Structures are given as structure tokens and as C-alpha cells.
């Protein structure tokens, strides 16, 4: 949100406040204040003009302004009711030089998982992609996927759903381990430095269970509808803290992991690895104790197996 508009909104939230007083305080004209108030109304905020000034009466349920209002992380939000894929839009913006922008949509018509799998994205979800430009060699980017998984799990837990992480990128819920969220990280860069990273998160929020695959669940199914703007803020704020302190990601990931201590089968580009998942190591490799010794796995699809 533009800085003056954000300050107008904050003043209204503490209001009522008169237009002339607000213009004085912000060092802008009364006409400018009026324009910002109109823009906020258009973004879905309820602003009443009363004898004692403007007062904030309503905050939009979801959208760019709703998420940015009170967001304690340095992201601008690029919101769309519907997009083919927030990752695609984020890649476009990244190519144009964007940094710390979060593309957010209510619905995606061409949502993607890894390896171009389909990602069901009906209206009511949190479909977002964060564009970042970290000073990082490409080999370390997987830590961003882990950070996003931790942030998503933490945000989901805040609404009372006990979520856990399946390596590397799934957020699961319940004894039957239904998937409530997935992460798709993409990047571009040179050998020694990334140019940009796009971290895409798909979180099944206010969606009927019938609209997602059978292996999936939604927050609506678990706890009813949630405040998506607050959920998105919680997720972005936690992600921002973690990316600032990469050393903190692994311990936080281990604490929330469903995979560690489990028998797993991982389909890797180099073949199948079966054994007990014993740990993760920087920047995100899974260590599997197999009959032939320890294997370190950087990428793949992981399945939790029953104990033998
Ligand atoms: C993922 O892939 O889990 C990454 C999903 C990332 C989606 C976000 S939404 C915002 C951003 N924009 C995009 O276009 N994508 C990102 P993967 O691990 O490959 O899992 C894909 C599999 O999950 C599918 O093959 C289905 O089996 C299952 N699936 C599809 N839609 C789902 C949903 N809504 N919830 C849970 N599982 C789903």
C-alpha cells in the first residue's frame, strides 16, 4: 500500500479524525486526503463521514488492502480475484525486477504443483507467491521451501488446526495425514547467485472438502471458515522472520516435522530410496537410513510408510 494511504488508514483506525486535521498531520492537501479515503472505500474499507470526522467502520474480508492492513513484513500485495497461477504472475514481476512482492489470488484457473501437476485452486483458498531477491547461491534456495512450510504450518496452527510437515513441501493434518497446503519454489540465477526466488504457497482455506482431491483437506472442513487476511499475514510475517535468519529454519522445521522417525519411500530423480527418515540437513536434504547405509536426498516425492 502506498505510504500516505497506509497512514490515512492508520489514522482512521484510531479515529474519528477530521479531514483538515488529517491533512495537516500528514502534510498533504484536503483533496488528497479525500482521494485516499475514496480509494480505501473502493478497496472495501467502510469509512463513515460523521460530524466528528472520518471513522473506520469495516475492514474487507480479503484482498490486497485487507492483507497489507497491519502486516508487519515488508511485502507489497498484488491481489487478483482470479489468475491462472500466482507463480506465473510472480515470475513475470520478478523478470521486471520486482522484490518483496506477494501475488495473491482468491482463485486460480491453472494452479500448478511440482512437475507441472495440477493444483486445485477454487475460490476461497489462499493462493500466494512471494517474489524475493536474496543474496544466496542457488544451492541454498531449498531452505526457502522449508521456511515456507514452517511458516504455513505455524499459521495453520494459529487457527487451531494441528498441522505437520511432510518433507519437503507438504503441510498435513490429522491422523490420516490429509494435505492442507503445498509449496512450489521456483528460481532463476547464475551459478553463484540467484537473481530471484518465487515461493508459491497453496493453502486450502475456506473451501469445501469436495472441491479438493481425496488425499486433501481444507480448513473449512476442520474448523469452519477462517479470517484469510489474518492467516495470510501470520504466514508472511513468520516467513519473513525465517528468511532473515536461515539458521533458525531447520530447528523450527524439525519441531513440526511429520516425516522424521518414519519409514519413507522417496522417489528421487536417481531412483527409489526406502528407509527411516532420521534428519534434515542444510539447506533441506533428507537423511534416510537404508539397509545399505545413510542416503542424503535433495529432491523427490516422499511417501510415509507403515512401520515394519
Ligand atoms: C505441491 O505440489 O504441493 C505444490 C503446490 C503449490 C500450489 C501453489 S498455489 C500458489 C502458487 N501458484 C501455483 O500455480 N502454484 C503455487 P506437489 O507436491 O507436486 O503436489 C501436487 C499434488 O497434490 C497433485 O498431484 C494432487 O495429487 C494434490 N493436490 C492437487 N490440488 C490439491 C489441493 N488443493 N490440496 C491438496 N492436494 C492437492
Amino acid at each position: 500500500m502506498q505510504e500516505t494511504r497506509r497512514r490515512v488508514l492508520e489514522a482512521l483506525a484510531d479515529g474519528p479524525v477530521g479531514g483538515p486535521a488529517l491533512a495537516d498531520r500528514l502534510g498533504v492537501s484536503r483533496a488528497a486526503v479525500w482521494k485516499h479515503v475514496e480509494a480505501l472505500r473502493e478497496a472495501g474499507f467502510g469509512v463513515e463521514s460523521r460530524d466528528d470526522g472520518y471513522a473506520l467502520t469495516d475492514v474487507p474480508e480479503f484482498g490486497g488492502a485487507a492483507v497489507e492492513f497491519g502486516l508487519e513484513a515488508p511485502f507489497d500485495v498484488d491481489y487478483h480475484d482470479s489468475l491462472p497461477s500466482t507463480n506465473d504472475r510472480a515470475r513475470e514481476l520478478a523478470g521486471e525486477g520486482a522484490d518483496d512482492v506477494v501475488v495473491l489470488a482468491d482463485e486460480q484457473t491453472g494452479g500448478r504443483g511440482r512437475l507441472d501437476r495440477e493444483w486445485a485452486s477454487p475460490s476461497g483458498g489462499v493462493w500466494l507467491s512471494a517474489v524475493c531477491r536474496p543474496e544466496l547461491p542457488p544451492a541454498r534456495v531449498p531452505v526457502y521451501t522449508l521456511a515456507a512450510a514452517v511458516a504455513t504450518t505455524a499459521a495453520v496452527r494459529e487457527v487451531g488446526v494441528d498441522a505437520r510437515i511432510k518433507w519437503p513441501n507438504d503441510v498435513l493434518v490429522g491422523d490420516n495425514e490429509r494435505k492442507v497446503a503445498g509449496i512450489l519454489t521456483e528460481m532463476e540465477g547464475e551459478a553463484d547467485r540467484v537473481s530471484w526466488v518465487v515461493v508459491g504457497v497453496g493453502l486450502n482455506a475456506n473451501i469445501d472438502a469436495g472441491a479438493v482431491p481425496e488425499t486433501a483437506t481444507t480448513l473449512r472442513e476442520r474448523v469452519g471458515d477462517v479470517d484469510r487476511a489474518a492467516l495470510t499475514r501470520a504466514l508472511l510475517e513468520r516467513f519473513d522472520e525465517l528468511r532473515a535468519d536461515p539458521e533458525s529454519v531447520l530447528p523450527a522445521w524439525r519441531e513440526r516435522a511429520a516425516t522424521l522417525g518414519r519409514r519413507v519411500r522417496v522417489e528421487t530423480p536417481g531412483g527409489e530410496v526406502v528407509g527411516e527418515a532420521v534428519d534434515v540437513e542444510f539447506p533441506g536434504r533428507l537423511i534416510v537410513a537404508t539397509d545399505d547405509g545413510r542416503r542424503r536426498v535433495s529432491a523427490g516425492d516422499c511417501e510415509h510408510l507403515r512401520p515394519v
Side-chain angles (χ1 to χ4, degrees):
M1 196 179 308
Q2 193 250 0
E3 179 60 18
T4 310
R5 185 154 313 155
R6 195 179 56 75
R7 292 177 66 197
V8 170
L9 183 56
E10 278 170 9
L12 297 179
D14 295 337
V17 57
L22 191 51
D24 271 0
R25 204 196 304 167
L26 302 183
V28 299
S29 68
R30 290 172 64 173
V33 166
W34 184 81
K35 263 174 65 181
H36 286 300
V37 167
E38 278 308 299
L40 288 168
R41 284 178 173 143
E42 248 167 61
F45 289 91
V47 183
E48 240 173 51
S49 313
R50 309 192 313 211
D51 290 348
D52 51 358
Y54 293 117
L56 187 67
T57 55
D58 207 7
V59 175
E61 187 267 324
F62 197 48
V67 171
E68 283 181 2
F69 182 44
L71 175 65
E72 290 183 18
F75 295 109
D76 285 323
V77 179
D78 175 54
Y79 174 79
H80 302 259
D81 287 330
S82 181
L83 272 180
S85 155
T86 56
N87 262 47
D88 290 352
R89 164 90 181 140
R91 293 175 64 115
E92 236 172 76
L93 294 176
E96 292 164 10
D99 188 12
D100 284 355
V101 172
V102 170
V103 180
L104 179 69
D106 174 54
E107 169 197 73
Q108 296 183 117
T109 52
R112 298 186 279 117
R114 294 178 300 156
L115 306 171
D116 266 333
R117 294 176 190 132
E118 254 178 59
W119 182 259
S121 321
S123 168
V126 174
W127 320 123
L128 67 80
S129 302
V131 182
C132 314
R133 311 187 91 88
E135 289 196 18
L136 213 64
R140 294 190 161 203
V141 167
V143 79
Y144 269 57
T145 301
L146 269 58
V150 171
T152 306
T153 305
V156 167
R157 286 186 180 189
E158 275 184 31
V159 300
V161 175
D162 186 23
R164 298 187 154 277
I165 309 167
K166 185 177 82 163
W167 184 87
N169 69 328
D170 291 353
V171 180
L172 308 178
V173 170
D175 292 340
N176 54 3
E177 304 204 310
R178 296 278 187 250
K179 180 161 166 175
V180 75
I183 291 146
L184 175 66
T185 304
E186 299 181 292
M187 64 159 181
E188 194 171 274
E190 313 281 314
D192 56 340
R193 203 180 145 186
V194 299
S195 152
W196 51 257
V197 179
V198 165
V199 183
V201 179
L203 172 54
N204 302 329
N206 302 338
I207 296 174
D208 288 341
V212 292
E214 270 183 9
T215 51
T217 188
T218 72
L219 296 182
R220 174 181 282 170
E221 182 181 29
R222 301 283 157 167
V223 289
D225 283 2
V226 298
D227 177 344
R228 283 188 291 165
L231 184 70
T232 307
R233 274 196 296 274
L235 194 165
L236 293 176
E237 286 168 4
R238 191 76 182 97
F239 177 70
D240 185 47
E241 281 168 20
L242 289 160
R243 71 174 175 161
D245 182 11
E247 300 296 316
S248 69
V249 174
L250 253 57
W253 192 94
R254 286 189 192 102
E255 258 174 49
R256 295 166 178 79
T259 302
L260 299 184
R262 296 281 289 274
R263 263 183 71 74
V264 296
R265 178 189 299 125
V266 191
E267 303 282 346
T268 78
E272 194 177 89
V273 178
V274 179
E276 186 190 336
V278 289
D279 202 6
V280 278
E281 63 178 21
F282 199 84
R285 283 180 292 267
L286 186 68
I287 303 178
V288 184
T290 72
D291 291 345
D292 307 320
R294 292 192 163 204
R295 295 276 303 272
R296 301 180 141 68
V297 186
S298 303
D301 278 314
C302 173
E303 188 189 345
H304 291 161
L305 304 174
R306 289 178 196 288
V308 279

